[in-house]
């Protein structure tokens, strides 16, 4: 296929967006995406992901002062039809008055590519996306997953400089979503195209992104690789939003934090009031007899590969712990908790250096 | 937000069309309230023409109201149950009936009026009675009533509601009155407003069906246009518009209410 | 629903059936019988379609109705798209102004056309100022055309606006993302998406124009549209058979057009408010 090796790099400089009704959807936003990179915009509904994507697409324009660059070309005021971007919408936005093949070939037709070549390229694309047999179907005769693939094919056939995807899997059921996620992942790697992928689903973000931008109320909360975001959240919002996490808060003295169920030791915080986070899989359940921190099992849930238990009494709130699936716990059982210092997440950088 | 040149052009065109709809109405209102239209507003404002119209034509106003209310009454009694039948029956007959009810809208009023005159014009007393016009108005407005109620019935799950009521022991007519009718109130109201509006303004049928003793407002208007001075015609039109205004406001209000989900 | 729940259901329909049979089906049947009761028998239909007087009237009405329909659709498309897509102060007032005349009967519309283009109308005053002669158009076919557009705009506009509101804006954005110009978006996306609504409201507009009587009556312009011809045959010519024949032809045409439109667009083509 004739597809750009890398696509364009993208830079947003000081892009603020205020809507006509006065809604401030984006605070000044700076963002740079490398050529060929897949960047995921992640955040709760209403945090400004779609707005950011539409700015990059050219469907909205930033307030005065903001700049958008593709490679080094300033496209701030270029409308979408001149930007050469590919878009995949949450609802797919396939043209109901055209067949699958006509939908996929539409971008080429608009570019006045010769009919014979359009036909050739469309059939190649349909083969690649395993849609060959459906070429002459109408859109309403396709399943959700097939529509999704048609939408992708339609967006990439013109070799756009940037591929923009707005929650492309949200409308599908869970099983289909997992499969298509893998398909999209391998497609993006294979094409090496610059892609911006919007989602509110953190699993999707982890699986697809080279880097993830976590957004909150129109601001960037953290940018980093999936691992950085997961293991080294930089603020409370990211720590809370990504995955399950436990928060321990209490008085610290000599690296010991005083908690309702005893003492959490090895806390890398200065003396005084402090806070650390810990993932459920990083807490170890030990015999209560010689443990510094104790509690009672409140509830257990078997999830197959693991046992999730909730322990009360140890912390101000219930502690969530993931243990081996074969372990056995009874409700009411007395347990001890242990966390290795390197698995505690400490946000306050100044305290860490102590 | 920046607006493009083309959206300004569209705005200008929209305003032009609005002017086209509004200007003649305003001119007519002005003509009905001025002493002498040919001298313009400088001849002074007056209610003289309106009074003259009321003296000459007040019977047409009363007959129009009477017809509209009678049409509405019949439509309510007859149309709402019919809509319910059409919504709950799956039989092929129901579809045929639906076509049949709607057919009078597709046929020009003049043709229907002619058919009515040919069939019943000779019946003693009917031809000269206002009931003859009533028949025409019911035929013409009933489809709108049925459609409005049907649309609401299709959008709510009235069968489940009704089954719920049945499980509590409510009989057929109880269920219809207690469950079905209250839940399609929106459709009934908008159908009722439509019925009144259409009946008040009906001319095609009414012109053929009327007699000198049974003149409705639009018929009177046609008379006035043909034989009266412009100011009287205008004042008469003004009275008609004033009658229509609350109905049209009601139609728009009920339309916007219905468009909102689950109104 | 169980059959027992259904029992008195037919009773609900009965009154409407009686009314429709007694006052619509039977009279229509009588109308057909009368139409072939004249000297020519059923040849009357052939006569109506070949006699130049009737044929001219029919053709004139057809041309007028088609022109009205196309013009109204174009106006409603531009205005409807604009009003449905833009939010600005005064918008709902404009919508009300444009839909208020929905309830005006044809005679009133005829009178309003006289206000605009009659001997003492707006355009006459304008002409006096500009070149010293009274410009009038109310009593020609132009007057009829203007009047027909006047009463068609509200109906068509309401249908088009609600169709535009239901249209998926993302379809347009998708087309633009692939580089489509405004014109292409209009032709490839917007018009196809609005097609059912345009066909449905166009058919209603056509049917209403074919049967419109009041406007021609009020303008008394000597242009014999079909309803005028029928009226003249019936009252002045006392030719009941021909009036019936022409009525049935007219009814058949409008009904077929509505039927055709419904089968093409799949949409509901009952005149709606
Ligand atoms: N066209 C618009 N006009 C006004 N406010 C808008 C518009 N589009 C989005 N918003 C507001 O901007 C904020 C961000 O929206 P969006 O970018 O769609 O969020 P997300 O995609 O992250 O869910 C929300 O508060 C939303 O209500
Ligand atoms: Mg969004």
């Amino acid at each position: 296929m004739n597809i750009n090796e890398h696509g364009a790099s993208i830079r947003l400089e000081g892009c603020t967006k205020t809507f006509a009704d006065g809604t401030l959807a984006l605070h000044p936003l700076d963002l740079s995406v490398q050529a060929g990179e897949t960047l995921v915009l992640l955040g709760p509904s209403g945090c400004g992901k779609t707005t950011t994507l539409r700015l990059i697409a050219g469907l909205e324009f930033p307030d005065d002062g903001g700049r958008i660059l593709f490679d080094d070309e300033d496209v701030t005021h270029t409308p979408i039809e001149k930007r050469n971007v590919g878009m995949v919408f949450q609802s797919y936005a396939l043209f109901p008055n055209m067949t699958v093949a006509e939908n996929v070939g539409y971008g080429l037709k608009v570019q006045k590519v010769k009919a014979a070549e359009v036909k050739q390229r469309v059939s190649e694309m349909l083969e690649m996306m395993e849609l060959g047999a459906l070429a002459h179907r109408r859109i309403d005769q396709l399943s959700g997953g097939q529509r999704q693939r048609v939408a992708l094919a339609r967006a990439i056939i013109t070799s756009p400089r940037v591929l923009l995807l707005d929650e492309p899997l949200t409308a599908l059921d869970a099983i289909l979503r997992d499969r298509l996620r893998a398909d999209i992942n391998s497609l993006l790697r294979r094409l090496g195209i610059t892609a911006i992928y919007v989602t509110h689903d953190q699993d999707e973000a982890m699986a697809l992104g080279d880097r993830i931008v976590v957004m909150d109320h129109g601001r960037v909360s953290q940018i980093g690789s999936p691992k950085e975001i997961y293991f080294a959240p930089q603020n409370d919002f990211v720590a809370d939003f990504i995955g399950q996490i436990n928060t321990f808060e209490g008085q610290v003295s000599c690296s010991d934090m005083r908690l309702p169920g005893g003492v959490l030791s090895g806390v890398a915080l200065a003396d005084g009031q402090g806070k650390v986070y810990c993932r459920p899989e990083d807490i170890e359940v030990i015999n209560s007899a010689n443990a510094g921190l104790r509690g009672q099992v409140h509830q257990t849930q078997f999830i197959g590969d693991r046992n999730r238990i909730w322990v009360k009494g140890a912390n101000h709130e219930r502690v969530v712990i993931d243990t081996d699936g074969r372990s056995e716990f009874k409700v009411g059982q007395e347990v001890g908790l242990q966390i290795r210092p390197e698995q505690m997440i400490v946000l306050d950088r100044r305290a860490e250096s102590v | 937000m920046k607006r493009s040149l083309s959206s300004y052009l569209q705005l200008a065109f929209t305003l032009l069309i609005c002017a086209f709809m509004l200007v003649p109405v305003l001119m007519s209102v002005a003509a009905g309230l001025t002493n002498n239209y040919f001298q313009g507003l400088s001849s002074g404002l007056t209610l003289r023409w309106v009074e003259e119209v009321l003296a000459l034509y007040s019977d047409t106003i009363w007959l129009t109201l009477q017809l509209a209310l009678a049409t509405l009454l019949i439509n309510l009694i007859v149309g709402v149950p019919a809509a319910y039948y059409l919504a709950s029956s799956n039989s092929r007959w129901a579809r045929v009936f639906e076509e049949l009810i709607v057919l009078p809208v597709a046929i020009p009023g003049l043709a229907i009026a002619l058919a009515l005159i040919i069939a019943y014009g000779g019946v003693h007393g009917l031809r000269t009675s206002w009931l003859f016009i009533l028949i025409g108005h019911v035929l013409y407005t009933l489809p709108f009533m049925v459609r409005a109620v049907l649309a609401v019935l299709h959008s709510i799950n009235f069968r489940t509601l009704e089954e719920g009521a049945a499980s509590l022991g409510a009989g057929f007519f109880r269920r219809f009155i207690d469950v079905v009718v209250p839940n399609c109130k929106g459709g009934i109201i908008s159908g009722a407003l439509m019925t009144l509006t259409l009946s008040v303004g009906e001319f095609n049928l009414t012109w053929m069906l009327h007699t000198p003793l049974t003149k409705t407002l639009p018929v009177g208007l046609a008379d006035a246009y043909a034989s009266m001075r412009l100011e009287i015609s205008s004042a008469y039109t003004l009275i008609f518009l004033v009658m229509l205004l609350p109905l049209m406001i009601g139609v728009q209000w009920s339309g916007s209410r219905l468009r909102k989900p689950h109104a | 629903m169980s059959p027992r729940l259904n029992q008195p259901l037919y009773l609900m329909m009965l009154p409407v059936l009686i009314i429709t049979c007694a006052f619509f089906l039977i009279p229509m049947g009588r109308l057909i019988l009368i139409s072939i009761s004249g000297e020519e028998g059923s040849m009357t239909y052939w006569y109506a379609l070949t006699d130049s007087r009737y044929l001219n009237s029919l053709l004139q009405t057809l041309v007028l109705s088609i022109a009205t329909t196309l013009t109204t659709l174009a106006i409603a498309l531009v205005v409807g798209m604009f009003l449905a897509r833009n939010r600005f102060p005064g918008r709902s007032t404009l919508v009300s102004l444009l839909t208020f005349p929905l309830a005006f009967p044809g005679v009133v519309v005829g009178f309003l056309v006289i206000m605009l283009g009659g001997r003492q109308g707006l355009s006459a005053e304008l002409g006096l100022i500009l070149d010293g002669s009274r410009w009038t158009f109310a009593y020609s076919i132009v007057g009829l055309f203007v009047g027909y557009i006047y009463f068609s705009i509200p109906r068509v506009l309401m249908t088009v606006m609600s169709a535009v509101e239901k249209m998926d804006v993302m379809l347009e954005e998708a087309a633009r993302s692939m580089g489509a110009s405004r014109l292409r978006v209009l032709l490839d996306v917007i018009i196809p998406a609005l097609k059912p609504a345009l066909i449905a409201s166009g058919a209603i507009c056509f049917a209403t124009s074919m049967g419109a009587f009041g406007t021609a009556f009020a303008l008394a312009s000597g242009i014999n549209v079909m309803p005028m011809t029928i009226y003249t045959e019936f009252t002045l010519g006392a030719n009941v058979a021909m009036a019936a024949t022409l009525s049935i032809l007219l009814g058949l045409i409008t009904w077929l057009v509505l039927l055709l439109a419904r089968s093409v667009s799949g949409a509901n083509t009952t005149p709606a408010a």
Side-chain angles (χ1 to χ4, degrees), chain B residues 17 19 30 54 162 167 191 199-200 207 228 244 258:
Chain B
I17 296 296
L54 288 177
E162 229 196 321
S167 73
S199 168
V200 165
W207 179 258
M228 295 285 172
L244 217 48
L258 275 183

Side-chain angles (χ1 to χ4, degrees), chain B residues 7-185:
Chain B
S7 80
Y8 280 112
L9 287 177
Q10 283 181 53
L11 174 64
F13 185 73
T14 304
L15 291 177
L16 184 74
I17 296 296
C18 278
F20 168 60
M21 305 302 279
L22 187 62
V23 165
V25 177
L26 292 182
M27 287 174 69
S28 156
V29 170
L33 295 175
T34 41
N35 266 316
N36 187 330
Y37 182 65
F38 304 107
Q39 290 166 14
L41 287 173
S42 57
S43 63
L45 292 176
T46 177
L47 283 177
R48 194 170 101 213
W49 309 118
V50 175
E51 280 159 18
E52 209 161 307
V53 169
L54 288 177
L56 278 171
Y57 292 107
S58 64
D59 52 336
T60 68
I61 299 173
W62 293 119
L63 181 62
T64 301
L65 288 174
Q66 180 185 341
L67 267 169
L69 291 177
T71 309
L72 174 60
L73 192 68
I74 295 180
N75 279 359
L76 285 175
I77 294 173
V78 161
V80 178
Y84 171 76
Y85 168 82
L86 293 174
S88 35
S89 169
N90 302 318
S91 78
R92 186 162 345 121
W93 283 110
R95 302 288 80 77
V96 174
F97 293 160
E98 200 175 340
E99 286 301 311
L100 201 61
I101 295 184
V102 173
L103 204 53
V105 180
I107 310 284
L110 209 62
I112 296 177
L114 204 56
L116 280 174
I117 291 173
I118 286 169
Y120 297 109
V123 176
H124 179 73
L126 184 61
R127 181 72 184 86
T128 50
S129 154
W130 67 283
L131 294 173
F132 203 44
I133 303 178
L134 180 64
I135 294 171
H137 281 209
V138 169
L139 279 182
Y140 175 57
T141 55
L142 193 58
F144 294 91
M145 185 57 150
V146 173
R147 282 276 174 190
V149 178
L150 205 51
V152 174
L153 282 176
H154 282 316
S155 72
I156 61 173
N157 201 348
F158 72 96
R159 281 177 204 221
T160 319
L161 293 177
E162 229 196 321
E163 280 163 3
S167 73
L168 298 172
F172 181 82
F173 288 101
R174 266 221 89 97
R175 291 201 306 271
F176 183 74
I177 300 297
D178 291 349
V179 176
V180 178
V181 170
N183 279 293
C184 54
K185 207 168 59 193

Side-chain angles (χ1 to χ4, degrees), chain A residues 19-21 23 25 43-52 60 166-167 198:
Chain A
F19 282 108
D21 64 356
T23 310
S45 169
C47 71
K49 307 178 296 287
T50 299
T51 305
T52 311
E60 304 283 357
D166 192 355
E167 312 223 8
V198 164

Side-chain angles (χ1 to χ4, degrees), chain A residues 118-137:
Chain A
V118 172
K119 210 172 156 214
Q120 166 76 19
R121 282 170 67 180
V122 166
S123 72
E124 278 174 24
M125 178 56 76
L126 291 178
E127 281 315 314
M128 184 178 114
M129 302 295 285
E130 294 167 24
L131 290 165
L134 306 176
H136 302 293
R137 289 269 185 98

Side-chain angles (χ1 to χ4, degrees), chain B residues 3-4 6-8 10-11 13-15 17-18 20-25 27-28 31 37-38 74 77-86 88-89 97-112 114-120 126 135 138-140 142-144 146-147 158-159 162-163 166 170 172-173 175-176 194 197-198 200-204 207-208 218-219 221-223 225 230 233-234 237 240-241 244-245 248-249 251-252 259, chain C residues 1-2 4-13 15-17 19-28 30-31 34 74-75 78-79 81-83 86-88 92 94-108 111-116 120-122 146-147 149-151 153-155 158 162 165 182 207 210-214 217-218 226-228 230-231 234-235 240 243-244 247-248 250-252 254-255 258-259 262 268 270-273:
Chain B
R3 292 187 192 277
S4 63
S6 91
S7 80
Y8 280 112
Q10 283 181 53
L11 174 64
F13 185 73
T14 304
L15 291 177
I17 296 296
C18 278
F20 168 60
M21 305 302 279
L22 187 62
V23 165
V25 177
M27 287 174 69
S28 156
Y37 182 65
F38 304 107
I74 295 180
I77 294 173
V78 161
V80 178
Y84 171 76
Y85 168 82
L86 293 174
S88 35
S89 169
F97 293 160
E98 200 175 340
E99 286 301 311
L100 201 61
I101 295 184
V102 173
L103 204 53
V105 180
I107 310 284
L110 209 62
I112 296 177
L114 204 56
L116 280 174
I117 291 173
I118 286 169
Y120 297 109
L126 184 61
I135 294 171
V138 169
L139 279 182
Y140 175 57
L142 193 58
F144 294 91
V146 173
R147 282 276 174 190
F158 72 96
R159 281 177 204 221
E162 229 196 321
E163 280 163 3
F172 181 82
F173 288 101
R175 291 201 306 271
F176 183 74
M194 207 58 212
T197 314
L198 289 173
V200 165
E202 211 306 313
F203 178 76
N204 290 354
W207 179 258
M208 296 288 283
V219 169
L221 275 173
D223 268 356
Y225 294 157
L230 189 71
S233 300
S234 292
T237 310
F240 175 69
L241 294 180
L244 217 48
L245 196 63
M248 278 314 289
I249 290 173
V251 167
Q252 293 197 351
R259 232 170 287 131
Chain C
M1 210 186 277
S2 76
R4 203 187 51 77
L5 273 178
N6 256 332
Q7 230 165 28
L9 211 53
Y10 63 93
L11 276 181
M12 314 288 272
M13 195 63 205
V16 170
L17 284 182
I19 290 178
T20 314
C21 282
F23 298 118
F24 182 66
L25 288 185
I26 293 176
M28 277 296 161
R30 291 290 299 273
L31 193 67
I34 290 279
I75 293 174
V78 176
V79 175
M81 285 280 294
F82 178 76
L83 288 176
N86 290 280
R87 292 286 175 273
F88 52 89
S92 60
L94 290 190
V95 175
S96 304
L97 281 180
L98 286 167
T99 48
F100 179 58
L102 184 72
F104 292 4
V107 257
V108 171
F111 180 67
L112 295 179
V113 171
I114 292 176
M115 279 288 167
L116 279 179
Q120 280 93 35
L122 186 67
V146 169
I149 289 191
Y150 190 97
F151 66 63
I153 284 178
R155 293 161 211 278
M158 278 170 80
S162 72
E165 271 159 17
R182 274 176 190 283
M210 287 296 287
F213 170 62
F217 186 81
M226 272 298 257
M228 271 317 258
I230 294 171
Y231 180 68
F234 182 67
T235 51
V240 181
S247 297
I248 288 165
L250 188 63
L252 218 54
T254 55
W255 184 57
L258 287 173
L259 222 56
R262 192 165 53 178
N268 176 8
T270 308

